[in-house]
Amino acid sequence: RDDIARRPAPDAARITIRILTFGALLLVVVGIIGLVVPGVPGAILIFAGLLLAAWADGFVRVGVGTIVILGVLTVATYIVDVATVAFGMKRLGTSKRAMAGAAVGTIVGVFFGFLGLMIGPFLGAGLGELTAYRDVRRAGRAGIVAWVSFLIGSVIKFGLAFAMLGIFLMAWVAT
């Protein structure tokens, strides 16, 4: 297997490998952007890019075991995404309307860029809580909880995504 992998590829094969590698890099970059943009499956795109890069190399440098670990980390990013907001909001006693408002605020915030993503969950949760309890203080607290939960979830997702990249690169370089 090693002698096959080390043999120079014909020109058409080299071009194909370069195209696949470029596609893999593009998927990873879009995936990193997707980590903060709701509706773009960031971790899945990163995983797809890393899988494509490994496949383009014939799984010589990055084996199946590494791909399985990357898949587990991909699933973990989605668990973290849901768990941080749900745990934060439930722990501090916000209403289901506040949770729904945070989700709607995040989706609407996408259309207003980065600032919308920062303000959307806060406003959505605050308005949702306000409709449930008509208490401005409680609504403000729900907004802050939603925003902090979103921020913590994003930091953890970035950490997991960069762990995926690090594991992939270590496997790539180790061979």
Side-chain angles (χ1 to χ4, degrees):
R1 182 174 167 126
D2 284 340
D3 60 324
I4 293 171
R6 296 183 200 284
R7 247 189 259 152
D11 288 338
R14 278 187 229 170
I15 291 170
T16 302
I17 290 170
R18 285 187 180 140
I19 290 170
L20 291 174
T21 303
F22 176 76
L25 183 61
L26 187 64
L27 284 169
V28 168
V29 169
V30 172
I32 290 170
I33 293 167
L35 291 173
V36 292
V37 176
V40 178
I44 290 174
L45 292 174
I46 292 171
F47 177 75
L50 298 178
L51 180 62
L52 182 60
W55 182 61
D57 187 53
F59 296 99
V60 173
R61 294 183 186 141
V62 178
V64 174
T66 303
I67 296 299
V68 168
I69 291 169
L70 297 176
V72 168
L73 289 174
T74 301
V75 171
T77 62
Y78 288 96
I79 292 170
V80 162
D81 205 17
V82 172
T84 53
V85 174
F87 177 76
M89 296 187 82
K90 189 149 185 101
R91 176 111 168 111
L92 293 173
T94 60
S95 68
K96 291 184 191 245
R97 287 186 186 180
M99 289 184 205
V104 170
T106 302
I107 292 167
V108 171
V110 169
F111 299 105
F112 297 97
F114 184 74
L115 188 60
L117 285 174
M118 294 284 95
I119 295 172
F122 173 81
L123 288 177
L127 290 172
E129 192 74 3
L130 195 57
T131 64
Y133 290 103
R134 300 192 194 284
D135 180 356
V136 174
R137 270 193 135 152
R138 187 174 172 124
R141 187 177 70 154
I144 291 169
V145 169
W147 184 79
V148 169
S149 297
F150 174 77
L151 190 63
I152 290 170
S154 294
V155 168
I156 294 171
K157 282 192 314 185
F158 265 96
L160 288 170
F162 282 99
M164 289 169 63
L165 294 171
I167 290 167
F168 181 87
L169 290 174
M170 284 176 33
W172 187 273
V173 172
T175 305

